[in-house]
């Protein structure tokens, strides 16, 4: 079954904190409020900036700010930033039944299509 990574989860916490803020918010403030590791959160912020979800500004009054586009971003596009493969039914390469499995391809194709279409219908603003 699908499970999101800590990066995806913490990224949502990060965005949730920025959601209603008008000014740039320093990383140290975010770390203090959401109680997450600073280095890990900085890496997540870097990916979010790189993917146009938030913007950053350096300096004394610098920090991070959510971009309006981020709230319209769908959950599939957001999760794709952090997750290697978005699959509802990820089969392991080490599965001992892999050679004789007759249902894996069908289930993965059908369930993944439904799963991905569902993720594309959910906007980040509905989660935060």
């Amino acid at each position: 079954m699908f499970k999101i990574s800590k990066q995806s989860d913490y990224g949502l916490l990060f965005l949730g904190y920025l959601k209603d803020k008008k000014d740039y918010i320093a990383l140290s403030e975010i770390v203090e409020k959401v109680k997450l590791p600073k280095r890990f959160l900085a890496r997540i912020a870097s990916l979010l900036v790189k993917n146009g979800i938030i913007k950053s500004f350096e300096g004394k009054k610098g920090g991070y700010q959510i971009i309006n586009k981020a709230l319209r971003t769908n959950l599939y596009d957001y999760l794709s930033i952090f997750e290697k493969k978005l699959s509802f039914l990820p089969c392991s390469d080490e599965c001992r039944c892999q050679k004789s499995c007759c249902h894996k391809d069908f289930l993965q194709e059908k369930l993944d299509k439904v799963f991905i279409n569902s993720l594309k219908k959910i906007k980040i603003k509905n989660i935060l």
Side-chain angles (χ1 to χ4, degrees):
M1 294 297 158
F2 180 72
K3 182 179 176 185
I4 66 171
S5 67
K6 283 185 179 181
Q7 282 187 316
S8 294
D9 188 22
Y10 291 1
L12 288 171
L13 292 171
F14 188 97
L15 293 176
Y17 186 76
L18 292 177
K19 180 181 75 164
D20 297 321
K21 308 288 191 252
K22 303 291 183 220
D23 298 323
Y24 284 91
I25 307 299
L27 184 62
S28 57
E29 178 183 331
I30 300 166
V31 166
E32 183 181 320
K33 297 295 182 183
V34 295
K35 308 288 188 226
L36 297 174
K38 187 174 185 175
R39 291 171 104 196
F40 194 46
L41 206 55
R43 279 188 266 147
I44 292 168
S46 176
L47 286 170
L48 292 172
V49 169
K50 181 180 174 185
N51 286 277
I53 303 295
I54 61 174
K55 56 185 176 178
S56 64
F57 182 75
E58 291 187 28
K60 188 175 180 179
K61 296 190 182 213
Y64 297 96
Q65 188 177 54
I66 198 163
I67 297 173
N68 287 336
K69 170 192 144 190
L71 298 175
R72 295 186 306 271
T73 300
N74 67 53
L75 189 54
Y76 175 80
D77 290 338
Y78 170 80
L79 291 173
S80 295
I81 295 169
F82 301 105
E83 307 300 330
K84 290 177 185 157
K85 184 172 186 216
L86 291 170
S87 178
F88 183 75
L89 186 69
C91 291
S92 169
D93 290 337
E94 294 91 38
C95 178
R96 56 191 164 133
C97 301
Q98 195 169 17
K99 291 180 181 175
S100 61
C101 183
C102 60
H103 60 275
K104 177 186 102 169
D105 292 337
F106 173 80
L107 287 176
Q108 280 187 326
E109 181 181 317
K110 296 295 181 190
L111 288 176
D112 282 355
K113 195 176 285 187
V114 170
F115 176 62
I116 288 169
N117 286 335
S118 295
L119 291 176
K120 288 181 177 181
K121 292 176 185 175
I122 301 167
K123 303 292 181 201
I124 294 295
K125 69 179 177 184
N126 299 120
I127 298 172
L128 304 178

